[in-house]
Amino acid sequence: MALCTLSFPAHFSQAAASNPQRLTPQCSHLFLGVHLQCQSQQRSKARKRPNGVCASLSDREEYHSQRPPTPLLDTINYPIHMKNLSVKELKQLADELRSDVVFNVSKTGGHLGSSLGVVELTVALHYVFNAPQDRILWDVGHQSYPHKILTGRRDQMHTMRQTDGLAGFTKRSESEYDCFGTGHSSTTISAGLGMAVGRDLKGKNNNVIAVIGDGAMTAGQAYEAMNNAGYLDSDMIVILNDNKQVSLPTATLDGPIPPVGALSSALSRLQSNRPLRELREVAKGVTKQIGGPMHELAAKVDEYARGMISGSGSTLFEELGLYYIGPVDGHNIDDLVAILKEVKSTKTTGPVLIHVVTEKGRGYPYAEKAADKYHGVTKFDPATGKQFKSSAPTQSYTTYFAEALIAEAEVDKDIVAIHAAMGGGTGLNLFHRRFPTRCFDVGIAEQHAVTFAAGLACEGIKPFCAIYSSFMQRAYDQVVHDVDLQKLPVKFAMDRAGLVGADGPTHCGAFDVTFMACLPNMVVMAPADEAELFHMVATAAAIDDRPSCFRYPRGNGVGVELPPGNKGIPIEVGRGRILIEGERVALLGYGTAVQSCLVASSLLEQHGLRITVADARFCKPLDHALIRSLAKSHEVLITVEEGSIGGFGSHVAQFLALNGLLDGTTKWSPMVLPDRYIDHGAPADQLAMAGLTPSHIAATVFNILGQTREALEIMS
């Protein structure tokens, strides 16, 4: 059998390279699913786009104004209820499921386009496999809305991303069908491989399927996992959901742009490559029995045969040790079901990668036309696609950051901006419009972003690396080793600091102060309002001898006056400020928690107590003179921050203790986020759960002073 692979003649290889479709009449019986794929090509040729995606825009220019009937979906509470459906009924189920996603998200907001793109894939997976015994992992988890509907949570979809409601991502504690939590990207191949190896160690035989896409394949961890999967050779299935999305979303303010990175173009060039897996495994088995050089020869022949058949050489995935199948039309349920069944029933060892091509926003005309605008949505009208975005008198901190950075870049040609597939989320789309050659989207690759910035700093460039606080966790070693240890002046702009509302604990920026302020060379600062943010961007731009970082929250500014021309003025490093002079008690706030301190002081003043409120501005270096003065002139010093234990308050306590400022009668108390994860919900609800509302701060003051009745009155 091993020698059979040697029998492909030269003209066969040339024919495959020049016209892969000519393979069909000669060898459709030999290659896994190739006849299905070719039939799909023929059926969809008329609707195939230039980029090769077998998908089309809807002919309708509007959508249902009322939720359409879903008679088949109404009978499906769990995947087991799908098992007796025909393929025709599965198609109907997919249509009903898609409309259900649209109308649910229209009421709650959330991730729309990516979930619409995986409807057929979700139906096929739950039809072929037996979850939860078979492990299905979703990467990134915001593609999982159809999965949630089919796994017993349809009647809760109206609570999505709300307080005490369903999470916007897969969550282990929410359902046994969510076998792994995936709020961050590129983790499921690693986790799936661990599950597969764990299964093997326990002698079980369930399937493990990792769905990865919507940009998640751009992060290095995915390749590390594939490399290890190819070596360990445990049975698992990786499904690459290729929706042409590498950045989230792939667009600038001027419209969609090609996805970043070489991976995108490589995927678009991939051709079908489906030699029969059993044939190869039998050949390996025979030659293993013979042993020695014959087995090595068979392995080489196997690689050679794949190169001949694909016409473009072995793919990257096969070089890593994964058997590649694809591309497959991700909206053709016939093909998906047939291929998944074939792969499931194939009794061989090793990881398989199925390359599935989908269209983001599929089936909802407005999302098909503008995938970038419908990646994440607010509540919207399904009939018109109009999103109900609330108007606010101020802009978001994200926008203010971008405007501040543009102002600095106007006068300093060495300033550049870097983001990790989050041009819209970080506001750097605005910077890109003004300075297209000075803005770098590196894909979902925070580790690379940080070290790339370090390299730029080595050459005298002034890189601003804008990364969400929670995503900065992914690049911490690079921050320590590549930036701080070498004292390189990289500037980190950490968006989404503190509680983030509907996105919940996966995106909560709780830890950045703690992990950045412990670094010896890092300047760590946080603005109390939007004007201070402008000044801190200017401060970071001026720091040229060490790294610096500043954090700012999700949400809008408080309405203070902005500096002229959006040009901030550098602040003296390590210098705080007093905002209100009072007595007995001092509130020392850090970042936007200062605003809650100001409101708390008003509540206290209504009860006859006028306190001091100070804005620390810097966690590192601390304003020693300010802290010493506050400690010596007040009975009580309370530090307030929207961050974890070990952050700003801990640094203040260290200074107070080392300088004997706690040896007398002065009392110090920290107010921080509780030592637990706070679930998704309305921002006000989250702040109350954390005990950091102005009322909580005021009540804490009264409790420390022994005025418990006043504390109860404040809280009531």
Side-chain angles (χ1 to χ4, degrees):
M1 291 293 290
L3 297 180
C4 291
T5 55
L6 287 171
S7 62
F8 294 120
H11 71 270
F12 183 89
S13 173
Q14 293 167 359
S18 61
N19 187 4
Q21 292 186 3
R22 288 178 59 188
L23 293 176
T24 306
Q26 300 175 39
C27 55
S28 62
H29 63 289
L30 286 177
F31 303 113
L32 175 62
V34 73
H35 62 290
L36 291 172
Q37 201 259 351
C38 294
Q39 288 171 8
S40 171
Q41 288 177 346
Q42 292 166 3
R43 284 196 300 269
S44 59
K45 190 178 295 183
R47 58 187 175 90
K48 197 167 186 178
R49 293 183 178 180
N51 62 10
V53 179
C54 299
S56 66
L57 289 174
S58 172
D59 293 331
R60 295 170 298 183
E61 293 304 314
E62 57 183 20
Y63 199 71
H64 309 287
S65 58
Q66 300 294 324
R67 186 188 292 264
T70 53
L72 191 53
L73 181 59
D74 294 343
T75 68
I76 307 297
N77 292 320
Y78 291 95
I80 195 171
H81 300 141
M82 302 167 52
K83 300 303 182 181
N84 292 326
L85 298 182
S86 66
V87 172
K88 181 179 179 181
E89 288 171 321
L90 291 178
K91 294 176 184 177
Q92 178 185 338
L93 178 62
D95 291 339
E96 294 179 13
L97 180 59
R98 178 169 280 112
S99 68
D100 211 54
V101 169
V102 170
F103 277 87
N104 279 315
V105 178
S106 74
K107 297 293 191 295
T108 63
H111 290 92
L112 179 64
S114 49
S115 287
L116 294 178
V118 297
V119 168
E120 286 84 3
L121 177 59
T122 305
V123 168
L125 283 170
H126 280 299
Y127 178 72
V128 173
F129 295 99
N130 298 311
Q133 290 77 23
D134 289 335
R135 312 299 194 196
I136 302 176
L137 299 85
W138 294 93
D139 190 354
V140 180
H142 61 231
Q143 301 173 92
S144 64
Y145 293 8
H147 161 79
K148 287 178 183 264
I149 292 171
L150 293 177
T151 53
R153 287 168 278 181
R154 187 187 182 197
D155 62 347
Q156 301 175 66
M157 290 298 290
H158 67 282
T159 69
M160 179 74 71
R161 293 160 48 90
Q162 299 174 33
T163 304
D164 298 324
L166 294 179
F169 309 97
T170 50
K171 185 177 181 181
R172 281 175 56 85
S173 61
E174 184 178 290
S175 170
E176 64 178 340
Y177 290 89
D178 292 358
C179 60
F180 200 75
T182 48
H184 293 190
S185 81
S186 317
T187 60
T188 54
I189 303 179
S190 297
L193 179 60
M195 292 177 185
V197 172
R199 171 204 62 205
D200 297 342
L201 291 173
K202 292 201 169 198
K204 298 180 180 179
N205 61 359
N206 59 288
N207 296 282
V208 177
I209 306 98
V211 181
I212 180 168
D214 206 38
M217 190 59 96
T218 60
Q221 184 177 355
Y223 295 92
E224 294 170 14
M226 285 192 290
N227 181 53
N228 193 217
Y231 172 75
L232 293 176
D233 211 34
S234 285
D235 284 353
M236 70 175 294
I237 300 167
V238 177
I239 296 180
L240 170 57
N241 172 26
D242 177 9
N243 64 0
K244 308 301 178 188
Q245 198 80 51
V246 176
S247 295
L248 298 176
T250 306
T252 66
L253 293 174
D254 300 316
I257 60 173
V260 302
L263 174 64
S264 168
S265 58
L267 291 179
S268 68
R269 291 194 301 267
L270 287 176
Q271 300 178 30
S272 177
N273 177 14
R274 306 183 179 199
L276 186 64
R277 188 172 177 83
E278 283 94 338
L279 176 64
R280 293 162 54 184
E281 293 302 325
V282 168
K284 289 179 184 178
V286 171
T287 56
K288 277 183 180 178
Q289 293 176 15
I290 298 173
M294 179 60 73
H295 176 58
E296 295 176 8
L297 173 62
K300 291 289 185 185
V301 168
D302 175 50
E303 290 185 23
Y304 179 61
R306 278 182 284 165
M308 289 193 299
I309 294 165
S310 71
S312 58
S314 297
T315 68
L316 167 66
F317 306 112
E318 295 204 315
E319 294 293 343
L320 289 171
L322 282 77
Y323 181 77
Y324 174 89
I325 299 171
V328 179
D329 182 349
H331 302 296
N332 187 314
I333 286 186
D334 300 78
D335 287 9
L336 287 171
V337 168
I339 291 168
L340 291 174
K341 281 185 174 181
E342 190 74 32
V343 172
K344 179 184 177 183
S345 64
T346 300
K347 303 301 181 184
T348 58
T349 59
V352 176
L353 184 138
I354 305 174
H355 179 186
V356 175
V357 179
T358 64
E359 179 182 22
K360 194 163 185 171
R362 173 77 171 197
Y364 186 58
Y366 306 105
E368 289 181 339
K369 294 174 185 176
D372 55 311
K373 292 182 175 62
Y374 289 87
H375 167 75
V377 296
T378 59
K379 297 178 183 180
F380 64 95
D381 176 11
T384 64
K386 182 180 180 182
Q387 297 186 44
F388 305 129
K389 296 185 177 180
S390 59
S391 59
T394 60
Q395 297 185 90
S396 68
Y397 277 95
T398 298
T399 299
Y400 287 130
F401 158 69
E403 292 178 347
L405 188 58
I406 289 169
E408 295 299 322
E410 292 283 6
V411 297
D412 189 341
K413 62 180 176 55
D414 288 331
I415 287 177
V416 301
I418 302 164
H419 65 89
M422 296 298 292
T426 61
L428 289 183
N429 276 351
L430 295 165
F431 189 92
H432 180 272
R433 170 180 279 179
R434 179 65 186 88
F435 302 107
T437 62
R438 292 160 64 183
C439 186
F440 302 94
D441 177 356
V442 301
I444 304 179
E446 291 84 1
Q447 292 176 302
H448 165 61
V450 171
T451 307
F452 174 58
L456 286 166
C458 288
E459 297 302 314
I461 302 299
K462 300 177 181 178
F464 277 77
C465 199
I467 299 177
Y468 285 10
S469 167
S470 62
F471 295 166
M472 188 65 78
Q473 297 160 187
R474 297 158 62 94
Y476 189 56
D477 180 62
Q478 286 68 32
V479 172
V480 176
H481 180 272
D482 300 342
V483 175
D484 194 74
L485 179 63
Q486 303 187 85
K487 215 173 180 179
L488 291 171
V490 175
K491 301 91 168 57
F492 296 104
M494 297 182 295
D495 201 335
R496 302 319 198 258
L499 300 167
V500 294
D503 282 334
T506 60
H507 288 58
C508 175
F511 310 114
D512 57 272
V513 179
T514 300
F515 65 64
M516 293 300 249
C518 67
L519 301 179
N521 295 319
M522 186 72 66
V523 174
V524 184
M525 47 190 165
D529 55 47
E530 59 268 43
E532 285 285 291
L533 177 57
F534 280 86
H535 298 319
M536 288 186 181
V537 172
T539 304
I543 295 173
D544 60 2
D545 62 343
R546 51 190 154 161
S548 59
C549 66
F550 51 95
R551 71 184 326 238
Y552 47 99
R554 184 176 190 169
N556 288 19
V558 298
V560 298
E561 184 179 355
L562 300 179
N566 290 341
K567 181 70 173 67
I569 300 171
I571 303 168
E572 181 182 346
V573 174
R575 177 60 61 88
R577 57 177 181 160
I578 291 179
L579 302 177
I580 297 175
E581 292 273 11
E583 56 187 17
R584 297 193 67 188
V585 177
L587 296 179
L588 179 58
Y590 183 66
T592 50
V594 170
Q595 300 302 321
S596 294
C597 293
L598 291 171
V599 177
S601 73
S602 297
L603 294 174
L604 292 166
E605 193 159 10
Q606 293 171 20
H607 287 73
L609 180 62
R610 181 172 176 80
I611 65 168
T612 297
V613 177
D615 173 12
R617 281 177 165 167
F618 292 86
C619 178
K620 192 166 192 176
L622 289 171
D623 188 336
H624 291 171
L626 173 63
I627 296 170
R628 190 186 304 275
S629 172
L630 293 174
K632 287 185 173 181
S633 59
H634 294 81
E635 299 171 33
V636 177
L637 174 61
I638 300 175
T639 54
V640 187
E641 61 186 304
E642 201 172 306
S644 71
I645 294 169
F648 169 69
S650 296
H651 284 260
V652 172
Q654 173 91 351
F655 171 75
L656 292 172
L658 290 178
N659 287 273
L661 295 170
L662 296 177
D663 296 344
T665 59
T666 301
K667 297 177 180 178
W668 166 76
S669 182
M671 295 191 73
V672 299
L673 290 175
D675 194 21
R676 60 182 172 83
Y677 295 103
I678 295 177
D679 276 337
H680 58 277
D685 292 340
Q686 287 189 320
L687 205 60
M689 285 187 275
L692 288 175
T693 66
S695 296
H696 284 97
I697 296 170
T700 299
V701 170
F702 277 132
N703 276 323
I704 293 175
L705 294 176
Q707 298 175 243
T708 55
R709 176 172 296 185
E710 287 84 352
L712 288 172
E713 289 177 359
I714 287 280
M715 290 307 298
S716 63

